[in-house]
Amino acid sequence: MLDANIKTQLKAYLEKLQQPIELIASFDDSAKAEEMRGLLVDIAELSAKVSLREDGTANLRPSFAIAQPGQAPRIHFAGIPMGHEFTSLILALLQTGGHPPKVDAEVIAQIKALPGNFKFETFISLSCHNCPDVVQALNLMAVLNPGVTSTMIDGGMFQGEVERRQIMAVPTVFLNGEEFGAGRMSIEEIIAKVDTGAAARDAEKINARQVFDVLVIGGGPAGASAAIYAARKGIRTGLLAERFGGQVMDTLAIENFISVKATDGPKLVMGLEEHVKDYDVDIMNLQRAAKLIPGDLIEVQLENGATVKSKSVILATGARWREMNVPGEQQYRGKGVAYCPHCDGPLFKGKRVAVIGGGNSGVEAAIDLAGIVGHVTLIEFDSQLRADAVLQRKLASLPNVTIITKALTTEVSGNGEKVDGLLYKDRNTDEVKRIDLEGIFVQIGLLPNTDWLKGTVNLSNRGEIEIDAKGQTSVAGVFAAGDCTTVPYKQIIIAMGEGAKASLSAFDHLIRTSAPA
């Protein structure tokens, strides 16, 4: 099952086991069961501290669990955790075997203190780059708290479960049989949802913060860059982020970040976070700004009721996927309407889907999906596609792709449970037409996260924060950087430069306003 190179690396990892563990398999007569058996035998042969049993009683087969001998298993894998999930398997083995996790002590204490029983089930696809974060977070919670169990379910292997529970996006998490959440979630976000008193405690801690010299709002490339540049000046720096990394966390392949030939979003974000933490930056994660109040001391009110004060502020709130804003889109979001073809594409194997948008993102999505689904219809509002020529040629060569231009999507159709079609207006004839399909992937660009700033700082007609050459907004002491601003070309490398520039401008502002008359 595992090649020699992977076995060598895995053997080195398993040497870190502090306690014996056992793999408890629940097999059936399928070919996948034999494949899983091969994987588990390979693992057991690599360490004397790992044993394998085949007397598991799980309902989902083939599957296996990981536990310490004599203990009821709390971590389960219904599927073969290869691809993006192989790291989840390694961490589950090590952490069950007593290897300490790389998580803040405060988070560990919060997990251990959670009362009650929590049965988590996470539906994933092995090509999903968002899924491992959720699986690893829930597995760790199961290791630390006896009341928590975590089961990873490969949607591609258990199509019956996918159909029964109407899973049309990954990761989708169920808690005690009820849908808990969908999409990427950090361990802190998960804990905040199950620990009902967490928000109030966070607000109390934030209210106790002293005044910052620079407060950065946003944890993406622009915000991280701004925080580092401010902290290097030796001034009191804070960073508020709804989720560290922002939109980059949802980016699969990055091949234009100069000096790095190829990387991916989660890996780049990990580097950004580690770099920021090397400096004296007060990071307040999972916090959403609700209101900006200008003044000699600028106040930022948060959705949890807390207030932060600072002498200067850098807005780096980034952008989010633009939605179609048509009837049915919100109703069927996660039930056929999707925004990440890499994550959710495998759930539509053999089915008919549409991609909305003819730019690079839309055409790339259509090309990727064409290798998985039965048929792809690409719908573009304009009279021609806007993607690079090389992508258009590739798309045109695919036999299971239809391209429709001069089309305006008007409605997402569904049967009450999931998507069953799409309506669009032919802009040549004004005739409304229907396409029968099971999935719709929206790829029509980004929308700046600036709704909360309306009426406070000047925004463009696109909702972008208007800034000058130094990143200064219309409000004294408030600067902005990155995809939320009027700076053209929304690129990671540009956002980082803009964040540095805004931070240097904020420092210059502090020097000038604090100087004696």
Side-chain angles (χ1 to χ4, degrees):
M1 175 66 187
L2 300 176
D3 63 36
N5 184 46
I6 293 178
K7 283 184 179 180
T8 301
Q9 296 179 45
L10 184 54
K11 182 178 177 65
Y13 280 121
L14 294 178
E15 289 174 357
K16 299 178 181 180
L17 291 174
Q18 298 179 11
Q19 301 167 358
I21 60 174
E22 58 182 9
L23 309 174
I24 307 164
S26 301
F27 290 140
D28 56 15
D29 297 328
S30 66
K32 284 294 183 181
E34 284 304 307
E35 187 178 346
M36 182 180 291
R37 180 181 281 111
L39 170 64
L40 300 182
V41 168
D42 282 351
I43 295 172
E45 289 177 347
L46 293 175
S47 173
K49 290 184 177 178
V50 180
S51 59
L52 171 60
R53 291 166 37 198
E54 298 189 15
D55 58 351
T57 59
N59 292 325
L60 294 177
R61 294 169 181 259
S63 65
F64 68 95
I66 304 172
Q68 291 184 14
Q71 292 188 359
R74 303 199 293 269
I75 294 178
H76 305 261
F77 289 92
I80 303 172
M82 300 302 290
H84 288 298
E85 291 297 347
F86 191 59
T87 300
S88 302
L89 171 60
I90 294 173
L91 289 174
L93 293 167
L94 294 179
Q95 291 167 358
T96 302
H99 187 68
K102 294 182 179 180
V103 179
D104 291 343
E106 186 176 345
V107 172
I108 293 175
Q110 192 175 2
I111 293 170
K112 289 182 176 180
L114 288 174
N117 294 308
F118 304 88
K119 179 185 176 182
F120 288 103
E121 299 166 287
T122 308
F123 283 82
I124 62 98
S125 68
L126 296 180
S127 62
C128 170
H129 59 287
N130 290 325
C131 295
D133 283 355
V134 178
V135 173
Q136 291 164 24
L138 294 172
N139 285 352
L140 177 57
M141 291 175 64
V143 168
L144 296 174
N145 189 317
V148 178
T149 62
S150 171
T151 301
M152 181 211 83
I153 304 173
D154 179 4
M157 183 181 293
F158 293 94
Q159 283 288 331
E161 282 294 306
V162 168
E163 293 293 335
R164 184 175 71 84
R165 302 206 202 184
Q166 299 294 320
I167 306 296
M168 304 194 75
V170 291
T172 293
V173 180
F174 285 80
L175 171 58
N176 298 334
E178 300 293 329
E179 188 166 333
F180 174 76
R184 179 190 293 274
M185 291 181 283
S186 68
I187 193 166
E188 291 85 0
E189 289 174 294
I190 294 169
I191 297 169
K193 289 188 72 170
V194 297
D195 184 355
T196 55
R201 293 196 301 272
D202 283 347
E204 187 177 349
K205 292 177 184 177
I206 290 172
N207 279 331
R209 254 71 168 195
Q210 296 179 8
V211 173
F212 290 103
D213 293 311
V214 173
L215 176 65
V216 180
I217 303 177
S225 176
I228 289 170
Y229 266 73
R232 284 176 62 86
K233 295 295 185 181
I235 57 180
R236 180 166 169 75
T237 304
L239 186 149
L240 277 169
E242 190 170 353
R243 67 164 181 166
F244 204 98
Q247 190 72 18
V248 178
M249 288 293 283
D250 300 324
T251 304
L252 186 59
I254 299 171
E255 297 177 347
N256 57 357
F257 190 73
I258 308 306
S259 83
V260 180
K261 290 183 179 179
T263 186
D264 58 56
K267 185 182 295 184
L268 179 60
V269 169
M270 186 182 301
L272 287 176
E273 190 167 12
E274 289 176 354
H275 199 172
V276 172
K277 287 181 176 179
D278 278 344
Y279 292 92
D280 189 13
V281 177
D282 187 349
I283 300 174
M284 293 162 278
N285 204 8
L286 305 183
Q287 303 301 327
R288 186 169 187 170
K291 188 175 183 181
L292 181 76
I293 304 175
D296 292 337
L297 284 181
I298 302 162
E299 293 187 18
V300 177
Q301 293 181 355
L302 310 185
E303 283 197 348
N304 66 3
T307 299
V308 188
K309 297 180 180 180
S310 183
K311 298 175 184 176
S312 65
V313 168
I314 299 174
L315 303 169
T317 50
R320 62 190 183 275
W321 291 117
R322 186 182 295 275
E323 299 175 351
M324 298 182 291
N325 292 319
V326 299
E329 180 178 18
Q330 290 304 318
Q331 179 182 355
Y332 293 107
R333 185 169 185 156
K335 300 298 181 183
V337 176
Y339 301 84
C340 181
H342 301 292
C343 300
D344 299 333
L347 297 177
F348 294 85
K349 185 176 180 179
K351 298 180 179 179
R352 299 177 62 87
V353 305
V355 172
I356 312 300
N360 281 351
S361 296
V363 172
E364 286 175 350
I367 292 170
D368 289 343
L369 288 166
I372 302 170
V373 305
H375 188 271
V376 179
T377 301
L378 186 141
I379 297 177
E380 165 58 34
F381 178 82
D382 205 347
S383 59
Q384 59 185 9
L385 304 185
R386 294 166 286 109
D388 295 341
V390 63
L391 294 174
Q392 292 193 45
R393 287 196 296 271
K394 173 64 176 176
L395 184 70
S397 72
L398 300 174
N400 62 335
V401 174
T402 299
I403 300 170
I404 300 175
T405 57
K406 295 198 74 173
L408 172 64
T409 303
T410 58
E411 184 178 348
V412 172
S413 171
N415 62 9
E417 294 183 346
K418 58 184 179 180
V419 166
D420 64 14
L422 176 148
L423 279 68
Y424 72 93
K425 182 171 74 172
D426 185 327
R427 295 178 59 228
N428 290 310
T429 64
D430 285 341
E431 180 184 359
V432 175
K433 300 180 179 180
R434 175 187 168 88
I435 306 172
D436 292 329
L437 41 77
E438 289 86 9
I440 300 169
F441 290 83
V442 183
Q443 301 282 290
I444 54 176
L446 300 172
L447 195 66
N449 294 317
T450 57
D451 295 344
W452 65 286
L453 294 167
K454 290 178 181 177
T456 305
V457 299
N458 288 348
L459 304 177
S460 71
N461 57 4
R462 295 185 177 182
E464 299 167 325
I465 303 170
E466 295 182 346
I467 57 173
D468 64 15
K470 292 186 176 181
Q472 172 70 58
T473 71
S474 59
V475 176
V478 178
F479 302 82
D483 287 2
C484 64
T485 72
T486 50
V487 169
Y489 311 120
K490 312 306 185 186
Q491 298 289 311
I492 293 170
I493 197 164
I494 292 174
M496 286 183 173
E498 290 293 308
K501 181 172 69 177
S503 190
L504 294 173
S505 297
F507 182 68
D508 181 68
H509 166 79
L510 291 172
I511 292 174
R512 296 176 185 277
T513 55
S514 63

